[in-house]
Amino acid sequence: MSLDALNLDLPTLLAIAGMAIVTYATRLGGWLALRRLVLSGRARAALDAVPGAVLAAVIAPAVLATGPAETVAAAITVVAALRLPQLAAVVIGVASVVLLRLAMS
C-alpha cells in the first residue's frame, strides 16, 4: 500500500510519527524517573489520578466547544461510566450523541 492510497502527504506522516515519538519518550522518561522510587500514600494517589486528569483536560474543551448535543451526551456518558462497565458507557455515549444530534437538529 502506498502513501497515495492512504491519502497522506509527507508532512502529515512526519507530524504523526513525531507525535508518536514524543508520546513514547514522555512515557519512557516518566518510567525511568520513577522506576526506583517506592511510592505510597499521597504520591501514589496523585500519580494514579494523572491519566484521568489528562483525559478530562483533553476531552473537556472539545465537549464544551462543539454544541449542546455533545455536551449533554458527555454528561450522560459520565453518569453511565460511574455506574456501568466501560464498554456499556461507550455504547451509551455514542448512542446518546447520535440521538441527541438527531433530536436537536
Side-chain angles (χ1 to χ4, degrees), residues 51-86:
V54 169
L55 187 62
V58 169
I59 292 174
V63 165
L64 298 174
T66 50
E70 290 79 6
T71 303
V72 173
I76 292 169
T77 305
V78 167
V79 171
L82 293 173
R83 295 174 173 22
L84 301 170
Q86 187 175 10

Side-chain angles (χ1 to χ4, degrees), residues 20-66:
I21 290 168
V22 169
T23 300
Y24 181 74
T26 56
R27 292 179 60 92
L28 181 62
W31 179 79
L32 290 172
L34 296 176
R35 69 181 170 165
R36 297 181 193 260
L37 295 178
V38 177
L39 299 175
S40 61
R42 287 185 176 181
R44 183 152 210 60
L47 287 177
D48 286 343
V50 168
V54 169
L55 187 62
V58 169
I59 292 174
V63 165
L64 298 174
T66 50

